[in-house]
């Protein structure tokens, strides 16, 4: 069993280590929209009954329109983390796993725990016939590296030539729809796309994601997850919110991202990557800066494998930007 990975969030642990109550903290450690959208009305029957088929169907059709995957109805899952744990079942024993790295660490952890050999790659040229599955997070977490959709399709074709699968995690794809290959899965029998619902809509606690893949893969995941994997209220929320105009959500995220960028540049920090939902900075004394910000009740995300990196998420408003700016100014580390 491999060691657990430290992720963003964890305000309770941070407060225990540095003081204050969780509600006193400004959590900038995640890539989640800090302004959750207004929840739609949910009929009491969605809470009262096990999820009926019509709720599942409504969510799947709404997701197909939203992700532009009309030829495939996306499968709702209780957060994409739930299906990351199942991925090793899709790959024949003895084949290797290629992961475009550095990236979200749970992929490597799931396959290492299952006994697979893992190769960290950075380009399609490094994919070989030994690889039964290649994993690409696009745009990437935490670097923000992005591959054009046509290049991703090329990777799928390369993997298909030797019977391999390509998994594309588009958890941060809502703010970069031009990169998505969700609408092209029907034409490639080896292409799997994961989408996160909670990051963009600011509802990570709902624990909801979608898988867009060939029917054999969707059926396998559905079987492995078992009945009623996603709650009725989550299905109702997805169907309603994915059917609405999300331009206001996009605009607010971009505005908040611009505010964060201005604060970080004014502080003299070196920005090396990111997406509209977070920014990655490089600093020689990143650990000290992280600790100082914690003392100011501001939580960021540090990385054991890259000790000079900090990932900083969005504050909900200008007051949050000011609080971060003040905390950075008092660090005297820049």
């Amino acid at each position: 069993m491999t060691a657990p990975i430290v992720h963003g969030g964890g305000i309770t642990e941070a407060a225990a280590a540095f003081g204050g109550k969780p509600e006193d903290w400004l959590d900038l450690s995640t890539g989640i929209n800090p302004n959750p959208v207004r929840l739609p009305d949910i009929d009491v029957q969605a809470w009262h009954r096990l999820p009926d088929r019509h709720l599942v169907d409504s969510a799947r059709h709404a997701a197909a329109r939203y992700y532009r995957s009309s030829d495939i109805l996306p499968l709702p899952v209780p957060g994409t983390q739930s299906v990351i744990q199942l991925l090793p079942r899709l790959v024949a024993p003895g084949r290797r796993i290629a992961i475009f790295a550095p990236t979200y660490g749970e992929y490597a952890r799931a396959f290492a725990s299952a006994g697979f050999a893992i190769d960290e790659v950075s380009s399609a040229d490094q994919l070989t016939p030994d690889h039964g599955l290649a994993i690409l997070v696009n745009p990437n977490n935490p670097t923000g590296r992005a591959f054009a959709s046509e290049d991703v399709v090329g990777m799928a074709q390369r993997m298909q030539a030797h019977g391999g699968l390509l998994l594309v995690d588009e958890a941060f794809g809502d703010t970069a729809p031009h990169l998505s290959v969700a609408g092209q899965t029907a034409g490639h029998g080896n292409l799997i796309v994961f989408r996160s619902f909670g990051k963009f809509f600011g509802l990570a606690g709902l624990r909801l994601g979608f898988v867009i893949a060939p029917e054999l893969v969707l059926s396998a995941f559905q079987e492995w997850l078992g009945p009623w994997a996603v709650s009725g209220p989550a299905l109702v929320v997805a169907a309603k919110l994915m059917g609405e105009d999300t331009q206001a959500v996009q605009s607010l995220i971009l505005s908040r991202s611009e505010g964060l960028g201005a604060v970080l540049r004014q502080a003299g920090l070196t920005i090396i990557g990111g997406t509209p939902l977070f920014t990655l900075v490089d600093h020689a004394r990143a650990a000290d800066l992280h600790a100082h910000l914690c003392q100011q009740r501001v939580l960021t995300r540090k990385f054991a494998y890259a000790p000079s990196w900090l990932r900083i998420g969005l504050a909900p408003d200008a007051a949050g930007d000011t609080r971060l700016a003040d905390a950075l100014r008092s660090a005297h580390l820049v």
Side-chain angles (χ1 to χ4, degrees), residues 80-98:
T80 50
Q81 182 61 47
S82 68
V83 278
I84 288 176
Q85 311 299 127
L86 300 175
L87 282 174
R89 302 189 189 188
L90 294 178
V91 186
R95 300 201 71 177
R96 301 179 70 87
I97 307 301

Side-chain angles (χ1 to χ4, degrees), residues 62-138:
R65 292 189 294 270
Y66 184 81
Y67 296 130
R68 300 178 183 177
S69 63
S70 56
D71 292 330
I72 293 179
L73 293 180
L75 176 69
V77 297
T80 50
Q81 182 61 47
S82 68
V83 278
I84 288 176
Q85 311 299 127
L86 300 175
L87 282 174
R89 302 189 189 188
L90 294 178
V91 186
R95 300 201 71 177
R96 301 179 70 87
I97 307 301
I99 300 179
F100 285 77
T103 195
Y104 183 62
E106 292 291 345
Y107 286 107
R109 184 171 186 266
F111 279 98
S113 296
F116 283 86
I118 299 166
D119 298 313
E120 293 188 351
V121 302
S122 58
S123 71
D125 293 339
Q126 296 171 274
L127 302 177
T128 74
D130 293 332
H131 293 130
L133 172 69
I135 298 169
L136 172 70
V137 180
N138 194 45

Side-chain angles (χ1 to χ4, degrees), residues 239-294:
K240 291 188 176 181
L241 292 183
M242 288 178 137
E244 296 179 354
D245 185 354
T246 60
Q247 186 55 53
V249 183
Q250 291 272 14
S251 297
L252 183 55
I253 289 173
L254 293 176
S255 175
R256 293 283 71 245
S257 181
E258 291 169 1
L260 172 62
V263 169
L264 299 179
R265 287 189 293 271
Q266 186 175 26
L269 290 169
T270 301
I271 297 173
I272 60 171
T275 74
L277 283 167
F278 62 82
T279 297
L280 186 67
V281 302
D282 185 271
H283 193 284
R285 297 176 61 190
D288 293 336
L289 182 54
H290 173 82
H292 173 80
L293 291 174
C294 282

Side-chain angles (χ1 to χ4, degrees), residues 42 46-47 59 197 206-208 210 230-240:
I42 301 175
W47 300 97
F197 181 84
L206 201 64
R207 305 310 305 133
L208 179 64
F210 288 89
V230 177
S231 74
L235 295 169
V236 172
V237 169
K240 291 188 176 181

Side-chain angles (χ1 to χ4, degrees), residues 301-328:
R301 170 76 160 89
K302 61 181 180 177
F303 299 88
Y305 63 78
S308 67
W309 289 2
L310 285 182
R311 190 188 68 192
I312 305 175
L314 307 183
D317 49 34
D321 291 341
T322 299
R323 182 173 173 182
L324 173 61
D326 291 344
L328 289 170

Side-chain angles (χ1 to χ4, degrees), residues 134-278:
I135 298 169
L136 172 70
V137 180
N138 194 45
N140 188 46
N141 172 23
T143 64
R145 173 200 60 204
F147 287 88
S149 59
E150 56 266 28
D151 293 333
V152 177
V153 169
M155 292 179 200
Q157 293 169 341
R158 186 186 185 101
M159 292 296 295
Q160 192 167 29
H162 49 75
L165 300 169
L166 176 66
L167 167 67
V168 186
D169 182 334
E170 296 181 352
F172 295 95
D174 296 68
T175 57
H178 61 288
L179 300 176
S180 179
V181 293
Q184 301 184 59
T185 51
H188 300 85
N190 68 325
L191 180 59
I192 303 168
V193 176
F194 285 178
R195 295 294 297 240
S196 169
F197 181 84
K199 291 179 175 61
F200 176 76
F201 289 102
L203 299 172
L206 201 64
R207 305 310 305 133
L208 179 64
F210 288 89
V211 178
I212 307 161
E215 187 56 41
L216 283 176
V217 174
L218 295 184
S219 296
F221 279 145
Q222 195 165 23
E223 174 70 19
W224 296 334
L225 288 170
W228 315 301
V230 177
S231 74
L235 295 169
V236 172
V237 169
K240 291 188 176 181
L241 292 183
M242 288 178 137
E244 296 179 354
D245 185 354
T246 60
Q247 186 55 53
V249 183
Q250 291 272 14
S251 297
L252 183 55
I253 289 173
L254 293 176
S255 175
R256 293 283 71 245
S257 181
E258 291 169 1
L260 172 62
V263 169
L264 299 179
R265 287 189 293 271
Q266 186 175 26
L269 290 169
T270 301
I271 297 173
I272 60 171
T275 74
L277 283 167
F278 62 82

